[in-house]
Amino acid sequence: MTRTEEVVANKQLRKDIDEKIQEIKNLPPSRERSLAITKLQEGVMWLGMDLKRLNEDNPYPSSKDPSSGDKIEPTADGSKL
């Protein structure tokens, strides 16, 4: 698998997982569902770390710049998490 294919696959997985998170959020709340959401969010985070390993450009350029004040970029891939 090429680097580009890996990046695309990771991004697609992140999108798919986010869709599942949204499905769970539409169900009546429970502790178990909250835990499922948390674990899926962790999966999205780890796939993001894998993008970093693949040297994907930083989608959050001001995330480590304290002079940016209270500016927080939206998720780079449009996830609603």
Side-chain angles (χ1 to χ4, degrees):
M1 182 177 271
T2 68
R3 178 192 167 279
T4 300
E5 290 170 332
E6 283 189 76
V7 169
V8 170
N10 272 356
K11 289 181 177 183
Q12 184 62 53
L13 282 170
R14 286 168 54 95
K15 181 178 180 284
D16 295 345
I17 293 170
D18 183 58
E19 289 172 4
K20 293 301 175 190
I21 291 170
Q22 300 317 309
E23 286 180 35
I24 295 170
K25 285 182 175 181
N26 287 326
L27 298 171
S30 71
R31 181 173 186 275
E32 293 78 9
R33 289 180 180 142
S34 294
L35 289 169
I37 289 169
T38 299
K39 295 302 179 181
L40 289 169
Q41 288 170 331
E42 287 176 10
V44 170
M45 183 265 313
W46 282 115
L47 288 169
M49 295 300 290
D50 197 42
L51 288 173
K52 181 179 177 181
R53 176 189 66 83
L54 293 165
N55 293 319
E56 180 69 2
D57 291 337
N58 182 5
Y60 308 109
S62 65
S63 66
K64 295 180 182 174
D65 179 8
S67 68
S68 65
D70 63 355
K71 178 183 177 190
I72 301 173
E73 293 100 347
T75 59
D77 54 8
S79 297
K80 296 176 186 170
L81 300 174

Coordinates of all heavy atoms in Angstrom, one line a residue:
M1 N 0.9 -1.2 0.0 CA 0.0 0.0 0.0 C 0.9 1.2 0.0 O 1.8 1.3 0.8 CB -0.9 0.0 1.2 CG -1.9 1.1 1.3 SD -3.0 1.0 2.8 CE -4.3 0.1 2.1
T2 N 0.6 2.2 -0.9 CA 1.4 3.4 -0.9 C 1.0 4.3 0.2 O 0.0 4.2 0.9 CB 1.2 4.2 -2.2 OG1 -0.2 4.7 -2.2 CG2 1.4 3.3 -3.4
R3 N 1.9 5.3 0.5 CA 1.7 6.3 1.5 C 0.3 7.0 1.3 O -0.5 7.2 2.2 CB 2.8 7.3 1.6 CG 2.6 8.4 2.7 CD 3.6 9.5 2.5 NE 3.2 10.7 3.2 CZ 2.3 11.6 2.9 NH1 1.7 11.5 1.7 NH2 2.0 12.6 3.6
T4 N 0.1 7.4 0.1 CA -1.2 8.1 -0.3 C -2.4 7.2 0.0 O -3.4 7.7 0.6 CB -1.2 8.5 -1.8 OG1 -0.1 9.4 -2.0 CG2 -2.4 9.2 -2.2
E5 N -2.3 5.9 -0.3 CA -3.4 5.0 -0.1 C -3.6 4.8 1.4 O -4.8 4.8 1.9 CB -3.1 3.6 -0.7 CG -3.2 3.7 -2.2 CD -2.6 2.4 -2.8 OE1 -1.8 1.7 -2.2 OE2 -3.1 2.1 -4.0
E6 N -2.5 4.8 2.2 CA -2.7 4.7 3.7 C -3.3 6.0 4.2 O -4.2 5.8 5.1 CB -1.3 4.6 4.3 CG -0.7 3.2 4.2 CD 0.5 3.1 5.1 OE1 0.4 3.0 6.3 OE2 1.6 3.1 4.5
V7 N -2.9 7.1 3.8 CA -3.5 8.4 4.2 C -5.0 8.4 3.9 O -5.9 8.7 4.8 CB -2.8 9.6 3.6 CG1 -3.6 10.9 3.9 CG2 -1.4 9.7 4.2
V8 N -5.4 8.0 2.7 CA -6.8 8.0 2.3 C -7.6 7.0 3.1 O -8.7 7.3 3.5 CB -6.9 7.7 0.8 CG1 -8.3 7.5 0.4 CG2 -6.3 8.9 -0.1
A9 N -7.0 5.8 3.3 CA -7.7 4.8 4.1 C -7.9 5.3 5.5 O -9.0 5.1 6.1 CB -6.9 3.5 4.1
N10 N -6.9 5.9 6.2 CA -7.0 6.4 7.5 C -8.1 7.5 7.6 O -9.0 7.5 8.5 CB -5.7 7.0 8.0 CG -4.8 6.0 8.7 OD1 -5.2 4.9 8.9 ND2 -3.6 6.4 9.1
K11 N -8.1 8.4 6.6 CA -9.1 9.5 6.6 C -10.5 8.9 6.4 O -11.5 9.3 7.0 CB -8.8 10.5 5.5 CG -7.6 11.3 5.9 CD -7.3 12.4 4.8 CE -6.1 13.2 5.2 NZ -5.9 14.3 4.2
Q12 N -10.7 7.9 5.6 CA -12.0 7.2 5.4 C -12.4 6.5 6.6 O -13.6 6.6 7.0 CB -11.9 6.2 4.2 CG -13.3 5.6 3.9 CD -14.3 6.6 3.4 OE1 -14.0 7.4 2.5 NE2 -15.5 6.6 4.1
L13 N -11.5 5.8 7.3 CA -11.9 5.2 8.6 C -12.3 6.2 9.6 O -13.3 6.0 10.3 CB -10.7 4.4 9.1 CG -10.4 3.0 8.5 CD1 -9.1 2.5 8.9 CD2 -11.6 2.1 8.8
R14 N -11.6 7.3 9.7 CA -12.0 8.4 10.6 C -13.4 8.9 10.3 O -14.2 9.1 11.2 CB -11.0 9.5 10.6 CG -9.7 9.2 11.3 CD -8.6 10.2 11.0 NE -9.0 11.6 11.3 CZ -8.7 12.2 12.5 NH1 -8.0 11.6 13.4 NH2 -9.1 13.5 12.7
K15 N -13.7 9.1 9.1 CA -15.1 9.5 8.6 C -16.1 8.5 9.0 O -17.2 8.8 9.5 CB -15.1 9.8 7.1 CG -16.4 10.3 6.6 CD -16.2 10.5 5.1 CE -17.5 11.0 4.5 NZ -18.5 10.0 4.3
D16 N -15.8 7.2 8.7 CA -16.7 6.1 9.0 C -17.0 6.0 10.5 O -18.2 5.8 10.9 CB -16.2 4.8 8.5 CG -16.1 4.7 6.9 OD1 -16.7 5.6 6.3 OD2 -15.4 3.8 6.4
I17 N -16.0 6.1 11.3 CA -16.1 6.0 12.7 C -17.0 7.1 13.3 O -17.8 7.0 14.1 CB -14.8 5.9 13.5 CG1 -14.1 4.6 13.1 CG2 -14.9 6.0 15.0 CD1 -12.6 4.5 13.6
D18 N -16.7 8.3 12.7 CA -17.5 9.5 13.1 C -19.0 9.3 12.8 O -19.9 9.7 13.6 CB -17.0 10.8 12.5 CG -17.7 12.0 13.0 OD1 -17.7 12.3 14.2 OD2 -18.3 12.7 12.1
E19 N -19.3 8.7 11.7 CA -20.7 8.4 11.4 C -21.3 7.5 12.4 O -22.5 7.7 12.8 CB -20.8 7.8 10.0 CG -20.5 8.9 8.9 CD -20.4 8.3 7.5 OE1 -20.7 7.0 7.3 OE2 -20.1 9.0 6.5
K20 N -20.6 6.5 12.8 CA -21.1 5.6 13.9 C -21.3 6.3 15.2 O -22.2 6.0 15.9 CB -20.1 4.4 14.1 CG -20.1 3.5 12.9 CD -21.5 2.9 12.6 CE -21.4 2.1 11.3 NZ -22.8 1.7 10.9
I21 N -20.4 7.2 15.5 CA -20.5 8.0 16.8 C -21.8 8.8 16.7 O -22.6 8.8 17.7 CB -19.3 8.9 17.0 CG1 -18.1 8.1 17.3 CG2 -19.6 10.0 18.1 CD1 -16.8 9.0 17.3
Q22 N -22.1 9.4 15.5 CA -23.4 10.1 15.4 C -24.6 9.2 15.5 O -25.6 9.6 16.1 CB -23.4 10.9 14.1 CG -22.2 11.9 13.9 CD -21.9 12.7 15.1 OE1 -22.8 13.3 15.7 NE2 -20.7 12.7 15.6
E23 N -24.5 8.0 15.0 CA -25.6 7.1 15.1 C -25.9 6.8 16.6 O -27.0 6.7 17.0 CB -25.3 5.8 14.4 CG -25.4 5.9 12.9 CD -25.1 4.6 12.2 OE1 -25.5 3.5 12.7 OE2 -24.5 4.6 11.1
I24 N -24.8 6.5 17.4 CA -25.0 6.2 18.8 C -25.5 7.4 19.5 O -26.4 7.2 20.4 CB -23.6 5.8 19.4 CG1 -23.1 4.5 18.8 CG2 -23.7 5.6 20.9 CD1 -21.7 4.1 19.2
K25 N -25.1 8.6 19.2 CA -25.6 9.8 19.8 C -27.1 10.0 19.6 O -27.8 10.7 20.4 CB -24.9 11.0 19.4 CG -23.5 11.1 19.9 CD -22.8 12.4 19.5 CE -21.4 12.6 20.1 NZ -20.8 13.9 19.7
N26 N -27.7 9.4 18.5 CA -29.1 9.5 18.3 C -29.9 8.5 19.0 O -31.2 8.6 19.0 CB -29.4 9.3 16.8 CG -28.9 10.6 16.0 OD1 -29.0 11.7 16.4 ND2 -28.5 10.3 14.8
L27 N -29.3 7.6 19.8 CA -30.0 6.6 20.6 C -30.2 7.2 22.0 O -29.5 8.2 22.4 CB -29.2 5.4 20.7 CG -28.9 4.6 19.4 CD1 -27.9 3.5 19.6 CD2 -30.2 4.1 18.8
P28 N -31.1 6.7 22.8 CA -31.3 7.2 24.1 C -29.9 7.0 24.9 O -29.2 6.0 24.7 CB -32.3 6.2 24.7 CG -33.1 5.8 23.5 CD -32.1 5.6 22.4
P29 N -29.6 8.0 25.7 CA -28.3 7.9 26.4 C -28.2 6.8 27.4 O -29.2 6.5 28.1 CB -28.1 9.3 27.0 CG -29.5 9.8 27.1 CD -30.3 9.2 26.0
S30 N -27.0 6.2 27.6 CA -26.7 5.3 28.7 C -25.2 5.3 28.9 O -24.5 5.8 28.1 CB -27.1 3.9 28.3 OG -26.3 3.3 27.3
R31 N -24.9 4.9 30.1 CA -23.4 4.8 30.4 C -22.6 4.0 29.4 O -21.6 4.4 29.0 CB -23.2 4.3 31.8 CG -21.8 4.3 32.3 CD -21.6 3.8 33.7 NE -20.2 4.0 34.1 CZ -19.3 3.1 33.9 NH1 -19.6 1.9 33.3 NH2 -18.0 3.3 34.3
E32 N -23.2 2.9 29.0 CA -22.5 2.0 28.1 C -22.4 2.7 26.7 O -21.3 2.5 26.1 CB -23.3 0.7 27.9 CG -23.3 -0.2 29.2 CD -24.3 0.3 30.3 OE1 -25.1 1.2 30.0 OE2 -24.3 -0.2 31.4
R33 N -23.4 3.4 26.3 CA -23.2 4.1 25.0 C -22.2 5.2 25.1 O -21.5 5.5 24.2 CB -24.6 4.6 24.6 CG -25.5 3.5 24.1 CD -26.8 3.9 23.6 NE -27.6 2.7 23.2 CZ -28.9 2.6 23.5 NH1 -29.6 3.6 24.1 NH2 -29.6 1.5 23.1
S34 N -22.2 5.9 26.2 CA -21.2 6.9 26.4 C -19.8 6.4 26.4 O -18.9 7.0 25.8 CB -21.4 7.7 27.8 OG -22.6 8.4 27.8
L35 N -19.6 5.2 27.0 CA -18.3 4.6 26.9 C -17.9 4.1 25.5 O -16.8 4.2 25.1 CB -18.3 3.3 27.9 CG -18.2 3.7 29.4 CD1 -18.5 2.4 30.2 CD2 -17.0 4.4 29.8
A36 N -18.9 3.6 24.8 CA -18.7 3.2 23.4 C -18.3 4.5 22.6 O -17.3 4.4 21.8 CB -20.0 2.6 22.8
I37 N -18.9 5.6 22.8 CA -18.6 6.8 22.1 C -17.1 7.2 22.4 O -16.3 7.5 21.5 CB -19.5 8.0 22.4 CG1 -20.9 7.7 21.8 CG2 -19.0 9.3 22.0 CD1 -22.0 8.6 22.2
T38 N -16.8 7.2 23.7 CA -15.4 7.5 24.1 C -14.4 6.6 23.4 O -13.4 7.1 22.9 CB -15.3 7.4 25.6 OG1 -16.2 8.3 26.3 CG2 -13.9 7.7 26.1
K39 N -14.6 5.3 23.4 CA -13.7 4.4 22.7 C -13.6 4.7 21.2 O -12.5 4.6 20.7 CB -14.1 2.9 23.0 CG -14.0 2.6 24.5 CD -12.6 2.8 25.0 CE -12.5 2.4 26.5 NZ -11.2 2.7 27.1
L40 N -14.7 5.0 20.6 CA -14.6 5.3 19.2 C -13.9 6.6 18.9 O -13.1 6.7 18.0 CB -16.0 5.4 18.6 CG -16.8 4.0 18.5 CD1 -18.2 4.3 18.1 CD2 -16.1 3.1 17.4
Q41 N -14.1 7.6 19.8 CA -13.3 8.8 19.7 C -11.8 8.5 19.9 O -11.0 9.2 19.2 CB -13.8 9.8 20.8 CG -15.2 10.4 20.5 CD -15.7 11.2 21.6 OE1 -15.5 10.9 22.8 NE2 -16.6 12.1 21.3
E42 N -11.5 7.6 20.8 CA -10.1 7.3 20.9 C -9.5 6.6 19.7 O -8.4 6.9 19.3 CB -9.9 6.3 22.1 CG -10.1 6.9 23.5 CD -10.0 5.8 24.6 OE1 -9.6 4.7 24.3 OE2 -10.3 6.2 25.7
G43 N -10.3 5.8 19.0 CA -9.9 5.2 17.7 C -9.6 6.3 16.7 O -8.6 6.2 15.9
V44 N -10.5 7.3 16.6 CA -10.3 8.4 15.7 C -9.0 9.1 16.0 O -8.2 9.5 15.1 CB -11.5 9.4 15.7 CG1 -11.2 10.7 15.0 CG2 -12.7 8.8 15.1
M45 N -8.7 9.3 17.3 CA -7.5 10.0 17.7 C -6.3 9.2 17.3 O -5.3 9.7 16.8 CB -7.5 10.2 19.3 CG -6.3 10.9 19.8 SD -4.9 9.9 20.5 CE -5.7 8.7 21.5
W46 N -6.3 7.9 17.5 CA -5.2 7.0 17.2 C -4.9 7.0 15.7 O -3.8 7.0 15.2 CB -5.3 5.6 17.7 CG -5.0 5.6 19.2 CD1 -5.8 5.3 20.2 CD2 -3.7 5.9 19.8 NE1 -5.2 5.4 21.4 CE2 -3.9 5.8 21.2 CE3 -2.5 6.2 19.3 CZ2 -2.8 6.0 22.1 CZ3 -1.4 6.5 20.2 CH2 -1.6 6.3 21.6
L47 N -6.0 7.0 14.9 CA -5.8 7.1 13.4 C -5.2 8.5 13.1 O -4.5 8.6 12.1 CB -7.2 6.9 12.7 CG -7.7 5.5 12.8 CD1 -9.1 5.4 12.3 CD2 -6.8 4.6 11.9
G48 N -5.6 9.5 13.8 CA -4.9 10.8 13.6 C -3.4 10.7 13.9 O -2.6 11.3 13.2
M49 N -3.1 10.0 14.9 CA -1.7 9.8 15.3 C -0.9 9.1 14.2 O 0.2 9.3 13.9 CB -1.5 9.1 16.6 CG -2.0 9.9 17.8 SD -1.2 11.5 18.0 CE 0.4 11.0 18.5
D50 N -1.7 8.1 13.5 CA -1.1 7.4 12.4 C -0.9 8.3 11.2 O 0.1 8.2 10.5 CB -2.0 6.2 12.0 CG -1.2 5.2 11.2 OD1 0.0 4.9 11.5 OD2 -1.8 4.7 10.2
L51 N -1.8 9.3 11.0 CA -1.6 10.3 10.0 C -0.3 11.1 10.3 O 0.5 11.4 9.3 CB -2.8 11.2 9.8 CG -4.0 10.6 9.2 CD1 -5.2 11.6 9.3 CD2 -3.8 10.2 7.8
K52 N -0.1 11.4 11.5 CA 1.2 12.1 11.9 C 2.4 11.2 11.6 O 3.4 11.7 11.1 CB 1.1 12.4 13.4 CG 2.3 13.2 13.9 CD 2.2 13.5 15.4 CE 3.4 14.1 15.9 NZ 3.3 14.4 17.3
R53 N 2.3 9.9 11.9 CA 3.4 9.0 11.6 C 3.7 9.0 10.1 O 4.8 8.9 9.6 CB 3.1 7.6 12.0 CG 4.1 6.6 11.6 CD 3.6 5.1 11.9 NE 2.5 4.7 11.1 CZ 2.6 4.3 9.8 NH1 3.8 4.2 9.2 NH2 1.6 3.9 9.1
L54 N 2.7 9.1 9.3 CA 2.8 9.2 7.8 C 3.2 10.5 7.3 O 3.3 10.8 6.1 CB 1.5 8.8 7.2 CG 1.1 7.3 7.4 CD1 -0.4 7.1 7.0 CD2 2.0 6.4 6.6
N55 N 3.5 11.5 8.2 CA 4.0 12.8 7.9 C 2.9 13.6 7.1 O 3.3 14.4 6.3 CB 5.3 12.8 7.1 CG 6.4 12.3 7.9 OD1 6.5 12.7 9.1 ND2 7.3 11.5 7.4
E56 N 1.7 13.4 7.5 CA 0.6 14.2 6.9 C 0.8 15.6 7.5 O 1.1 15.8 8.6 CB -0.7 13.6 7.3 CG -1.9 14.4 6.8 CD -2.1 14.3 5.3 OE1 -1.3 13.6 4.6 OE2 -3.1 14.9 4.8
D57 N 0.6 16.6 6.6 CA 0.7 18.0 7.1 C -0.2 18.3 8.3 O -1.3 17.7 8.4 CB 0.4 19.0 6.0 CG 1.4 19.0 4.8 OD1 2.5 18.6 5.1 OD2 1.0 19.3 3.7
N58 N 0.3 19.1 9.2 CA -0.5 19.5 10.4 C -1.7 20.2 10.0 O -1.6 21.4 9.5 CB 0.4 20.3 11.3 CG -0.3 20.7 12.6 OD1 -1.4 20.2 12.9 ND2 0.3 21.5 13.4
P59 N -2.9 19.7 10.3 CA -4.2 20.4 9.9 C -4.5 21.5 11.0 O -5.5 22.2 10.8 CB -5.2 19.3 9.9 CG -4.7 18.3 10.9 CD -3.2 18.3 10.8
Y60 N -3.8 21.5 12.0 CA -4.0 22.5 13.1 C -2.8 23.4 13.3 O -2.1 23.2 14.3 CB -4.4 21.8 14.4 CG -5.5 20.8 14.2 CD1 -5.3 19.4 14.2 CD2 -6.8 21.2 13.9 CE1 -6.3 18.5 14.0 CE2 -7.8 20.3 13.7 CZ -7.6 18.9 13.8 OH -8.6 18.0 13.6
P61 N -2.5 24.3 12.4 CA -1.2 25.0 12.5 C -1.1 25.9 13.8 O 0.1 26.1 14.2 CB -1.3 25.9 11.3 CG -2.7 25.9 10.8 CD -3.3 24.7 11.3
S62 N -2.1 26.3 14.4 CA -2.0 27.2 15.6 C -2.2 26.4 16.9 O -2.3 27.0 17.9 CB -2.9 28.4 15.5 OG -4.2 28.0 15.5
S63 N -2.3 25.1 16.8 CA -2.7 24.3 18.0 C -1.7 24.4 19.1 O -2.0 24.2 20.3 CB -3.0 22.9 17.6 OG -1.8 22.2 17.2
K64 N -0.4 24.6 18.8 CA 0.6 24.7 19.8 C 1.2 26.1 19.9 O 2.2 26.3 20.5 CB 1.8 23.8 19.4 CG 1.3 22.3 19.5 CD 2.4 21.4 19.2 CE 1.9 19.9 19.2 NZ 2.9 19.0 18.7
D65 N 0.4 27.1 19.5 CA 0.8 28.5 19.5 C 0.0 29.3 20.5 O -1.1 29.6 20.2 CB 0.7 29.1 18.1 CG 1.1 30.6 18.1 OD1 1.7 31.1 19.1 OD2 0.9 31.2 17.0
P66 N 0.5 29.5 21.7 CA -0.3 30.2 22.7 C -0.7 31.6 22.3 O -1.7 32.2 22.8 CB 0.6 30.2 24.0 CG 1.9 29.8 23.6 CD 1.8 29.1 22.2
S67 N 0.1 32.2 21.4 CA -0.3 33.6 21.0 C -1.5 33.6 20.2 O -2.0 34.7 19.9 CB 0.9 34.2 20.3 OG 1.1 33.6 19.0
S68 N -2.1 32.5 19.8 CA -3.3 32.5 18.9 C -4.5 32.7 19.8 O -5.6 32.7 19.3 CB -3.4 31.2 18.2 OG -3.6 30.1 19.0
G69 N -4.3 32.9 21.1 CA -5.4 33.2 22.0 C -6.4 32.0 22.1 O -6.0 30.9 22.3
D70 N -7.7 32.3 22.0 CA -8.7 31.3 22.2 C -9.2 30.7 20.8 O -10.2 30.0 20.8 CB -9.9 31.8 22.9 CG -10.6 33.0 22.2 OD1 -10.1 33.4 21.2 OD2 -11.7 33.4 22.7
K71 N -8.4 30.9 19.8 CA -8.7 30.3 18.5 C -8.5 28.8 18.5 O -7.5 28.3 18.9 CB -7.8 30.9 17.4 CG -8.1 30.4 16.0 CD -7.2 30.9 15.0 CE -7.5 30.3 13.6 NZ -6.5 30.6 12.7
I72 N -9.6 28.1 18.1 CA -9.5 26.6 18.0 C -10.1 26.3 16.6 O -11.2 26.6 16.3 CB -10.4 25.9 19.1 CG1 -9.9 26.4 20.5 CG2 -10.4 24.4 18.9 CD1 -10.7 25.9 21.6
E73 N -9.2 25.6 15.8 CA -9.7 25.2 14.5 C -10.7 24.1 14.6 O -10.7 23.3 15.5 CB -8.5 24.7 13.6 CG -7.5 25.8 13.3 CD -6.3 25.7 14.2 OE1 -6.3 25.0 15.2 OE2 -5.3 26.4 13.9
P74 N -11.7 24.0 13.6 CA -12.6 22.9 13.6 C -11.8 21.7 13.2 O -10.7 21.7 12.8 CB -13.6 23.3 12.5 CG -12.8 24.3 11.7 CD -11.9 25.0 12.5
T75 N -12.4 20.5 13.4 CA -11.7 19.3 13.0 C -11.4 19.3 11.5 O -12.2 19.8 10.7 CB -12.6 18.0 13.2 OG1 -13.8 18.1 12.5 CG2 -12.8 17.8 14.7
A76 N -10.2 18.9 11.2 CA -9.7 19.0 9.8 C -10.5 18.2 8.8 O -10.6 18.5 7.7 CB -8.2 18.6 9.8
D77 N -11.0 17.1 9.3 CA -11.7 16.2 8.4 C -13.2 16.3 8.5 O -14.0 15.6 7.9 CB -11.3 14.7 8.6 CG -11.5 14.3 10.1 OD1 -12.1 15.1 10.8 OD2 -11.0 13.2 10.4
G78 N -13.7 17.4 9.2 CA -15.1 17.6 9.3 C -15.9 16.7 10.2 O -17.1 16.7 10.2
S79 N -15.1 15.9 11.0 CA -15.8 15.1 12.0 C -16.6 15.9 13.0 O -16.2 17.0 13.4 CB -14.8 14.2 12.7 OG -14.1 13.4 11.8
K80 N -17.7 15.3 13.4 CA -18.5 16.0 14.4 C -18.2 15.6 15.8 O -18.5 16.3 16.8 CB -20.0 15.8 14.1 CG -20.5 16.3 12.8 CD -21.9 15.9 12.5 CE -22.2 16.4 11.1 NZ -23.5 15.9 10.7
L81 N -17.5 14.4 16.0 CA -17.2 13.9 17.2 C -18.0 14.4 18.3 O -18.1 14.1 19.4 CB -15.7 14.1 17.5 CG -14.7 13.5 16.5 CD1 -13.3 13.9 16.8 CD2 -14.8 12.0 16.4

